[in-house]
Amino acid sequence: MTASMLRPIASRLPYDKGGVWVARVLVEVAMRMCDRRSRGTTVTVVSNDGVVGEWVDATRSGFPDESASGGADGVVLYLHGSAYAICSARTHRGLASRL
């Protein structure tokens, strides 16, 4: 989708605040349409010494990563590249919920 739809549009946008805003809206709409969160996912915003992040918990009962106590055996640390110049944590929650 990115190569066929978003890239041709984004390449024609001006490199100013207005162009960045339009690109962000386009990417967010595309990500929401194609990248929905897994059912039952919870999101908790966390902050420590000025560093903000999110816990995206998509643990579901019966999955192989569940321990005998009912909790997840581990976690996945997902670091998004590009410093969220266009996207945001919100646009990537669906992806994170499926990792």
Side-chain angles (χ1 to χ4, degrees):
M1 175 191 238
T2 301
S4 64
M5 292 179 62
L6 294 178
R7 192 169 292 141
I9 295 169
S11 67
R12 290 173 174 76
L13 295 173
Y15 294 111
D16 59 12
K17 286 184 179 182
V20 170
W21 182 84
V22 170
R24 285 180 177 164
V25 169
L26 288 172
V27 170
E28 184 166 346
V29 168
M31 293 295 282
R32 283 186 180 195
M33 288 172 47
C34 301
D35 203 27
R36 301 210 182 267
R37 285 188 274 174
S38 294
R39 188 175 186 173
T41 300
T42 59
V43 178
T44 305
V45 178
V46 293
S47 178
N48 189 2
D49 289 331
V51 178
V52 179
E54 292 183 346
W55 282 108
V56 179
D57 185 351
T59 305
R60 288 174 280 171
S61 175
F63 270 57
D65 64 345
E66 187 177 281
S67 68
S69 65
D73 279 338
V75 298
V76 174
L77 176 62
Y78 175 72
L79 301 173
H80 180 273
S82 81
Y84 290 125
I86 299 297
C87 301
S88 68
R90 183 178 59 237
T91 60
H92 282 69
R93 285 179 186 149
L95 170 66
S97 74
R98 290 190 304 278
L99 292 178

